[in-house]
Amino acid sequence: MAVVQNSKIPKLRMESVEFGGLVWYDVERPTETETLHLSQNFSFHPLDLDDVLSKRQRPKIDEYKDYLFFVFHFPAYNKAERLLMPSQLSVFIGQGYLITLHSGNLKPLMKLFRECELDEESRKEYMRHGPGYLLYRIVDRLVDYCQPIVNKILDSMDAIEDEIFARRRRSGTVRDISMLRRDIITFRRTIWPMRAVIAGLEPKIKRYIDTDLNVYFGDLIDHVDKIWDGLDETKEVIEGLSSTFDSMSINNYNEGIRILTIFATISLPTLLVASIYGMNIDLPFQHTEHTIIIVGLLTLAATTITAAVLRWLKII
C-alpha cells in the first residue's frame, strides 16, 4: 500500500500513512493552520481543538458519539535546558482514522510513524487491527520509553551516592542533587495522572479494535505501575541522599571549625607571651644574655599546659 502525503496546502504540517482503510495522520508542532484544517474536515468539538494548542492540559479522555479525544503526557529530555519536561500527545480516534498531534520530541512515536511510512510490513503489523490497536501500540512504545529514563535516574543517584560516601564531593554535587530531584518531581507529576487515563483506555477504544487485547492492556497497566514504583523508590533515595549530604557537609564544617578553634586556643599562649614581651616596658629576663631562650621556654611551657588541659578535657 502506498504512503499518502498531504501536500495540497504548503504550510500544512500534516503527514499521513494509509493501510487497509485506516489512515494515520501525524501532526508535528500543531498550529492554528492544522486545527483549522481538522475543523473543516472532521466534526471535532472546538474545545478539543483548543486543547490541542494548549500546553497545560491534564491527561484525559473525552468521549463522543463519533470519536474519542485523548490527552497524554510523557516525559521528554530537553538537551538545551538539561531537564526532564512533560510532552503532550493529543489523539483523535474514530472509525478509519487516527490523528496524533505532538511537539516533535517524542522519539518513539516519530520512529514508529517513520517505520509505517517506509515499510509495508510495519504498516501491516501496526495498522491491520484498526485504529484502537494502533493507538495501543503507540502508547505501549511510549510507556516502554519511560523505563530507561527511570534507570538513568537510578544510575545518576548511584554516582552521587559514590561521591558522597567516598568523600569525593565536588562543588557541583548540590546542583546535581537538585537537578535530579527536579527531574523526579517532573516525572512523577507527569505519570501520576496518566495512570488513570491508561487504566481507562481499553474499555473506551474497544469499539475501534477488531481483536481482544484485554491481556495486553493489563500488561500495559502493569508497566505503568512498575514505572510509578520505580519513581517512588527514586523519590525516597534522593531525599535520603540529600539529607545525608547535608548532614555530612554540616559535620565537615563543624569539624573544620573545631580544628581551627583548637589551633587558635593552643597558639593563644604564644601570642600572649609575644604580646607581653613586645611591650616597651621593663620585664623579667629582658636584659639577660639568654632572653630568647627563656621566652621560648615560657612559650613552650604555656603551650604544653594548654594542650594538656585540652587533652584532659577530651577536646583533642
Side-chain angles (χ1 to χ4, degrees):
M1 184 64 66
V3 177
V4 180
Q5 295 288 344
N6 192 326
S7 58
K8 293 182 180 179
I9 304 177
K11 295 183 179 180
L12 188 65
R13 291 196 293 252
M14 179 179 291
E15 297 179 294
S16 62
V17 176
E18 182 180 354
F19 181 86
L22 170 61
V23 183
W24 178 8
Y25 298 97
D26 184 66
V27 182
E28 188 175 319
R29 291 185 291 274
T31 64
E32 292 184 0
T33 302
E34 286 73 35
T35 56
L36 178 61
H37 175 80
L38 293 176
S39 66
Q40 293 172 347
N41 292 272
F42 298 90
S43 58
F44 296 150
H45 197 284
L47 292 178
D48 294 335
L49 296 173
D50 289 341
D51 291 343
V52 168
L53 301 178
S54 173
K55 297 181 179 181
R56 295 186 176 274
Q57 287 300 313
R58 287 180 59 84
K60 65 177 182 176
I61 304 175
D62 288 341
E63 186 174 7
Y64 299 91
K65 180 180 179 181
D66 299 325
Y67 73 94
L68 297 172
F69 175 65
F70 296 89
V71 174
F72 299 99
H73 283 176
F74 292 97
Y77 186 74
N78 188 322
K79 292 184 178 180
E81 299 290 337
R82 294 184 61 192
L83 56 85
L84 207 62
M85 301 180 64
S87 182
Q88 180 170 309
L89 170 64
S90 303
V91 179
F92 291 97
I93 181 172
Q95 199 63 43
Y97 67 86
L98 180 75
I99 304 173
T100 54
L101 306 99
H102 54 95
S103 59
N105 55 3
L106 294 174
K107 294 181 180 180
L109 171 61
M110 299 170 66
K111 183 179 179 181
L112 180 59
F113 184 83
R114 294 305 169 204
E115 289 178 8
C116 294
E117 185 181 41
L118 300 173
D119 183 45
E120 184 173 354
E121 288 299 320
S122 295
R123 291 196 292 273
K124 181 179 180 180
E125 178 183 356
Y126 296 116
M127 303 176 69
R128 62 179 176 174
H129 293 300
Y133 180 76
L134 176 60
L135 177 59
Y136 159 74
R137 295 302 296 266
I138 291 173
V139 174
D140 184 54
R141 277 211 178 187
L142 291 171
V143 169
D144 288 343
Y145 179 69
C146 294
Q147 189 59 51
I149 300 178
V150 176
N151 295 338
K152 185 176 181 180
I153 291 176
L154 289 171
D155 291 340
S156 298
M157 288 193 298
D158 288 341
I160 292 175
E161 182 178 357
D162 291 341
E163 286 184 6
I164 293 175
F165 291 102
R167 296 184 179 274
R168 291 185 283 105
R169 292 183 293 280
R170 302 174 288 105
S171 58
T173 302
V174 175
R175 184 172 182 271
D176 291 342
I177 292 175
S178 300
M179 291 182 65
L180 202 57
R181 174 178 281 178
R182 179 182 61 183
D183 286 344
I184 292 172
I185 292 173
T186 300
F187 207 160
R188 286 171 57 86
R189 290 177 61 186
T190 301
I191 293 298
W192 173 252
M194 281 287 297
R195 299 176 70 194
V197 173
I198 292 179
L201 192 61
E202 193 266 341
K204 298 294 184 181
I205 65 172
K206 185 181 294 186
R207 53 175 166 159
Y208 298 114
I209 305 175
D210 63 3
T211 185
D212 184 14
L213 295 180
N214 185 55
V215 176
Y216 294 94
F217 276 102
D219 182 65
L220 180 62
I221 294 172
D222 288 341
H223 285 178
V224 175
D225 290 340
K226 181 180 178 181
I227 291 169
W228 181 254
D229 291 341
L231 289 175
D232 267 348
E233 178 185 351
T234 60
K235 177 176 178 290
E236 293 178 2
V237 172
I238 197 64
E239 288 178 352
L241 288 178
S242 180
S243 298
T244 301
F245 179 80
D246 291 342
S247 298
M248 294 182 70
S249 297
I250 293 173
N251 182 70
N252 290 338
Y253 175 79
N254 291 337
E255 184 66 19
I257 295 297
R258 175 177 173 271
I259 293 173
L260 291 175
T261 303
I262 292 173
F263 178 79
T265 304
I266 292 177
S267 63
L268 182 61
T270 304
L271 297 176
L272 180 61
V273 173
S275 299
I276 293 174
Y277 276 87
M279 297 179 182
N280 191 19
I281 58 175
D282 290 333
L283 295 169
F285 314 111
Q286 188 175 15
H287 302 291
T288 64
E289 295 180 358
H290 305 290
T291 302
I292 187 65
I293 297 176
I294 295 173
V295 172
L297 291 174
L298 289 174
T299 303
L300 179 61
T303 302
T304 303
I305 293 172
T306 303
V309 171
L310 293 176
R311 184 69 175 174
W312 179 69
L313 295 174
K314 297 182 178 180
I315 295 177
I316 59 174

